[in-house]
Amino acid sequence: MQSRCLTVLPVWLFGSASIGMCAPNPSQWVPARWDGGPLELARRAKDKTLSAEAREAIAKWYQPATLDLLNGTPINALLITFSIGASSEAEAKQQQLAGKYARMARERGVAVLGVVYPGADSLAVARGAVESRLDGLVLDGEFPAGFAAKVESALRARNSSVPVVPIWRDTASARAARLSLLAVEGVRPSARNLSDMGIRAGPSAEPWIESNIWLVKSLRGGPEWRPIWINQQPNPGLLGDYVRCVADAAVAGGRWIVAPDDDLRSRLFRREAGALGTWRDIATHLKFAEDHAGWRSFLPYGNVGIIVDAASQDPEVSNEYLNLVARRQVPYRLIARSALSQELLAGFQAVLAPDLAAPTGIERLLLSDFADKGGLVVAGPWWGNVPTVEPFAEIRIGKGRAVVYKDNPPEPEAVSKDLMELLEPDVLGLSVFNVPSVISYVSTREKQALIQVLNYATLPSNRVTIRFNGNFNAARFYTPECAPINLPVHAAGNNRTELLIPQLATWGAVLLE
Amino acid sequence: MEKFCNTFSRRDLFAVSGLAAGALAVKAQESGLSVPAGPVSVAKVVSYDLDLVSQFEQMFDQIGGLGQRVRGKTVAMKLNLTGAMGRGRQVGLSAGQTHWVHPNVVGALTTVFAKLGAKRIRLLESTFRKRYGAPLEDTLLNDGWDVNAIKNSAKIVEFEDTNGLGTAKQYSTLKVKTSRPYIFSAFSVNHSYEDCDFFVSVGKMKNHEELGVTLSMKNLFGITPELLYGLTPQPPGASQWVRERVFHYGQVAPPAGVPQEIDLTSDRYEGWRMPRLLTDLCGARPIDLAILDGIETLIGGESSGMPGTKHAKPGLLVVGANCVSTDAVAMATMGYNPRAGRHEAPFRLYKSPKDHPAEQLVPPGETQQYADNTALMGEAAGLGTADLSRIDVRGVPIKHAMYDFEAHWKGQAPV
């Protein structure tokens, strides 16, 4: 595990709360939700699912012993219950407890951030954070407009530079936010049978996968890595869900805000062996992610580009393109609409612009030129020549083509499915076989390619065949649970390399050189 | 099953007013036909990891041996790979465990045919892909098959996607050679179904949404090439699926130059058409050996995307030289009466109005529909007997092999 102590602290971290402390750099924070105390019980007063054991664990969570749970784990940033907008007495009592706990945590090199819920008072929260010497504040929920700015302003007025981290619910706004640490609400990673969801699907329908890989990738923003936190609660009833949550956030370089559910928390509090085993598994996967932090500097791979339009009329639909295309194992890179240029497009072979709102003449020209030179443009009706019967029409343009959908916006599921037929394997770059419950993510650095695969099923996935563009002579397979092994590689024709992963439990990464 | 027997839907009343359902169940010998009745072997096999090579050798011996018919010949196996993309799955299960034949079954069969002296072994299926030309092997990789191991299990093993022309320059026309073609008198198919000496239908023992069960005869539906039959433009309102609009519902005629339907005024209801069409297909491309994989399977439908379907482990293999008899024995091991009529399980069906054309629900809105018994249609056409009293069942007796599919079927219908 990396040292939690930094040799050099960044200037922005120096605030009244952190001077002289050994709290880590926010970019290195490995966060965990550490809800507890009387205020947490008050917040969940109406929660009928809360057992007596869980209630006790929450009430006593800020006893010093719970910090021992961090031993041997990379977790170094705790998100503690701080303000829910309760009475000033209740809030003060909690913040006093939080301050004491935060001091003990910092002595271990662990940062502590206060979680603030809607109803809280911005000035009181800022004052409390400074008095409790917190390392930051996390805003969880729907707050009035300007609340975060007010808290930040109040903090700065008290000479504190600790960060205020809102957990974004709106992905488009999060993408536009120029923050060095981004936290977003994610989904609970899972795979489900469509038939179990009451959906009649065709014989080739894959299980429905909920994943955050696309989300983390879409928030990256640029070539430089920045920490992205995914906030979501796993399914307590499913073993293995926790490690999947860790991996699901980490594959594209994010971090899951570790969130033990009530049952695990109460059993951890009682130091039950099974719970400690689950906790160790979580730690193993977190450590795997942090041990391979270098992979975060690899850049997303893809010959396919998806234009992300900040002015999209329906951001949910725009996100669904990113989500579903990833689910079809199509490696892609994001193209910010504002960055569209001939030079940028020259690095792609296909570009998706299904929901471009009111494209300008220059944008049309750029995309037409791209197609003319041999590229594929996937567009909505805005392109023109809209088919009247068929769901889409293919129009030849010079050496390339445009695929124009009838519907506005084109249905994301249809677009993602059609891509598999519209694009040749060498344009896709990656072909992965036997992965109905798996999502892959490819990134590259110089002559290395990293192909990560994450299994969302509870059973292992066997015999996963991978073909990737390029001639590679070595493949090393990394998993959290085993030492790395070399995989035999074969030339697959058409300048591609083929390899076989014999078994994938949850998370695996193939490094091709 | 009992509860369905005296329950007529409104559609049934319409149906029996025309062609009586019971008439279809007339025993072949009573109708004066002399139909073949080959032996059928049944085995209980609890796992795909057992020695399936020895198992099939034993079963082939039990039905009289295949050596003479296979030695020096080209053996073609039509595999049941429903959907044929390999992506449709239940979470955590391979397609071979649910709705495809399992790769270990196919690998073992390839080995056995090689040991019996087959000159060439060909694995065939028509894929569902819009982009034709990608090798069939890639489809198999999608279910984690060890394709190289299968290729290495015999001297010449070839794979062909028969959804189009494949390696040939033209389609083969196969005439229906039964005593009474029902819907088509001939079919155009990929050359592979003509260019073989010994044809094997390797099916999965499953339920079927529209036909009650799908076995070795139903498996031949996949020999019809979509790329040929789909050349006729799709009229507005017709099914988006080529095979449905041409075969299931008869909404459009096959393209010019391809054998046409015998009687365009015949019933358009799929429960009536499909059993007859399958009989025609089995008459056009006779099955020399029927093999049914029921070691693991799906109950309640032919693919895992259907609500109510359930993975099961019946632990069954059924092998026979006569497809009708083999299917009849298989139905019995599934807990069904192989001579059941359209009112009885598994031929009494629920059809969701959401997923079927309105005209397929007669009277309109009626969700309790029926299919005719394909085995009985085959028997009536002289392909073989579905009468258990005339079939020599070898290996494990039916009563010891039986796995009650119906009892395990959760059912799609809001019962």
Side-chain angles (χ1 to χ4, degrees), chain A residues 125-146:
Chain A
V125 162
R127 186 177 61 242
V130 172
E131 288 171 358
S132 304
R133 301 166 71 89
L134 297 185
D135 297 287
L137 289 170
V138 174
L139 310 186
D140 187 5
E142 301 284 349
F143 289 87

Side-chain angles (χ1 to χ4, degrees), chain A residues 191-193 195 199-201 203-207 418 420-421 423-425 432-434 436-437 457 459 463 465 467, chain B residues 82-83 85 87-92 99 130-131 138 141-146 209-210 303-307 309 355:
Chain A
R192 293 177 67 193
N193 295 321
S195 55
I199 298 169
R200 183 190 186 276
S204 58
E206 297 168 315
D418 294 339
M420 305 299 295
E421 307 290 345
L423 300 176
E424 296 296 324
V432 204
F433 299 90
N434 195 24
S437 303
L459 295 173
R463 297 189 58 81
T465 301
R467 290 185 196 140
Chain B
T82 303
M85 287 180 79
R87 295 202 185 96
R89 299 283 194 84
Q90 291 205 342
V91 177
H99 58 290
K130 288 181 193 163
R131 187 202 293 140
D138 281 5
L141 287 179
N142 258 336
D143 194 37
W145 289 35
D146 190 343
E209 189 184 28
E210 277 94 18
S303 72
S304 51
M306 290 167 184
T309 51
D355 309 317

Side-chain angles (χ1 to χ4, degrees), chain A residues 11 369 389 420 452 482:
Chain A
V11 173
D369 184 53
V389 178
M420 305 299 295
Q452 296 185 73
C482 298

Side-chain angles (χ1 to χ4, degrees), chain A residues 16-236:
Chain A
S16 56
S18 300
I19 293 174
M21 299 300 172
C22 192
N25 178 335
S27 71
Q28 293 183 321
W29 281 346
V30 180
R33 292 201 74 122
W34 220 240
D35 309 328
L39 213 51
E40 182 65 19
L41 280 179
R43 189 177 77 85
R44 299 186 58 187
K46 291 179 183 171
D47 186 349
K48 290 178 180 164
T49 64
L50 206 57
S51 66
E53 292 84 1
R55 200 173 288 278
E56 184 194 6
I58 290 172
K60 298 178 179 173
W61 196 251
Y62 295 142
Q63 291 179 354
T66 54
L67 287 171
D68 293 341
L69 289 169
L70 303 181
N71 294 342
T73 81
I75 296 170
N76 59 10
L78 301 180
L79 277 57
I80 64 172
T81 309
F82 196 67
S83 177
I84 64 168
S87 67
S88 53
E89 293 78 20
E91 297 257 321
K93 189 177 172 191
Q94 175 82 8
Q95 290 171 10
Q96 197 178 13
L97 188 62
K100 194 174 160 193
Y101 193 73
R103 194 165 58 248
M104 291 185 289
R106 269 198 306 277
E107 284 167 6
R108 295 172 178 240
V110 174
V112 175
L113 292 84
V115 181
V116 179
Y117 294 93
D121 177 82
S122 57
L123 294 177
V125 162
R127 186 177 61 242
V130 172
E131 288 171 358
S132 304
R133 301 166 71 89
L134 297 185
D135 297 287
L137 289 170
V138 174
L139 310 186
D140 187 5
E142 301 284 349
F143 289 87
F147 183 83
K150 279 184 190 169
V151 174
E152 202 159 339
S153 169
L155 283 169
R156 304 300 171 254
R158 290 175 172 272
N159 293 322
S160 168
S161 59
V162 299
V164 177
V165 183
I167 298 176
W168 297 82
R169 262 70 179 171
D170 168 13
T171 311
S173 302
R175 205 174 287 134
R178 300 286 168 217
L179 298 173
S180 54
L181 193 168
L182 210 53
V184 289
E185 192 66 28
V187 294
R188 175 187 293 172
S190 65
R192 293 177 67 193
N193 295 321
L194 293 177
S195 55
D196 293 343
M197 298 161 70
I199 298 169
R200 183 190 186 276
S204 58
E206 297 168 315
W208 183 260
I209 296 177
E210 294 282 8
S211 163
N212 296 299
I213 292 178
W214 70 273
L215 179 61
V216 175
K217 178 176 167 178
S218 81
L219 294 170
R220 182 167 175 139
E224 295 304 316
W225 176 82
R226 64 171 167 174
I228 295 159
W229 293 359
I230 297 294
N231 183 55
Q232 53 83 19
Q233 187 87 36
N235 185 342

